[in-house]
Amino acid sequence: MTARFPQHFLWGGAVAANQVEGAWQKDGKGLSTSDLQPQGIFGARVERQPGDFGIKDVAIDFYHRYPEDIKLFAEMGFTVLRTSIAWTRIYPNGDESQPNEAGLAFYDRLFDEMAKYNIKPLVTLSHYEMPYGLIKNYGGWGNRQTIDFFVNYARTVFSRYKDKVKHWLTFNEINMSLHAPFTGVGLPEESDKQAIYQAIHHQLVGSARAVKACHEIVPEGKIGNMLLGGMLYPLTCHPADVMETLQQNRDWLFFGDVQVRGYYPAYMTRFFKQQGITLTIAEQDKRDLQSTVDFISFSYYMTGCVTTDEEQNLKARGNILDMVPNPHLASSEWGWQIDPQGLRYLMNELYDRYQKPLFIVENGLGARDKVEADGSIHDDYRIAYLNDHLVQVREAIEDGVEVWGYTCWGPIDLVSASKAEFSKRYGFIYVDRDDSGNGTLARTRKKSFYWYQEVIGSHGASLK
């Protein structure tokens, strides 16, 4: 008998405010960290000048075009859409005593539009952006005061949207702070580990206090964390490689361990001691951390390998996250290795470790799409990628893993996070815009649009 997706499994896609909305100064929005990264997370930080231009300033103009886009998502059959709230639309500098009503009203309109089509919102509170005012005036998450500013923001949106949004996430890919501290915790990229882990501690406390607030304000709601699912394999079966792999996987699983279990895992005691890190942890922090998430959400794009062979490690420098490539896997145009079985492995690992429901909130293929003379786009490579990954999700469900849903990354073309490109396209819907910002912004259904429509319509039975 073929494995089935659960009856109430949620199907949809995922976007982020700073990658789709545009309208970067509209209706009282403040300056965010993302606004200062016109070349993306791994690009230079730029002080904005009057009249200058960044590709994300308009992005795909979702701020004005969301009714058209939501209608297209509904046509595919979406039952869930993951998006984020731009913190700077609600508190432009982060420390205001009163929220910006125009920003709150925008998300009311967006969630109302989704409700027209029975699409459930899954909302991330902070997706790779925070108010620049909190960095300039307070030092970002390095300052304990930022916890209170974040919790105030969270309570504001929970109270405003409690009848419209029942599924929430705290921080997007919270473990990315180790690789991109400005994006993750608002610290300079050259910050030392002591400063980064202290900021991460504040963020983990902020996340836990937001969980508690959500349970209080939205009693029937569910709130999860969000991890970058960076599962690593040992390159060889040499015990040194296996042990090093364990350690490196703990680098990111640590975040989940705190958010799901409610305390720091024992292995971090040795890590902090060896690294010369001494965290300031208040007794109240320990109590706050006990407010744990209801489910674990994660992104999955690829796996990597670990070796203690320094020659191999030197060769890997400059790869995404400096990962050693797996000789058994093919790669995308952007060098991301394609490993559908790795998703099943990751799901089993997370479920075994935490025994809480999972939600796959990002998975997709960034590729260059060619528009044919008749306007059609034949993205069979995207269909193959997503089909093979969804088959492995189905296998994990058969393994006994509880999964609430799947939101592929970028159901509509958007500005990529890492380098702020349009040419790296993820969508089922093509947006006419290029890396220089030229184009009409017209939307076109790709071949994959109809494929995903069939997958959702058949509740996964059409997967091959």
Side-chain angles (χ1 to χ4, degrees), residues 226-271:
M226 199 294 204
L227 302 169
L228 190 166
M231 187 57 73
L232 299 166
Y233 306 141
L235 188 64
T236 74
C237 53
H238 192 292
D241 284 359
V242 175
M243 196 67 216
E244 183 61 22
T245 305
L246 172 71
Q247 304 286 14
Q248 288 195 29
N249 276 323
R250 280 175 167 175
D251 286 349
W252 66 270
L253 286 165
F254 147 69
F255 294 83
D257 289 351
V258 176
Q259 291 178 303
V260 180
R261 296 172 179 165
Y263 54 87
Y264 275 69
Y267 60 79
M268 290 305 285
T269 305
R270 178 174 184 175
F271 173 80

Side-chain angles (χ1 to χ4, degrees), residues 147-160:
I147 299 173
D148 292 327
F149 293 132
F150 174 73
V151 174
N152 181 53
Y153 156 62
R155 294 184 71 89
T156 298
V157 294
F158 293 153
S159 300
R160 177 73 170 226

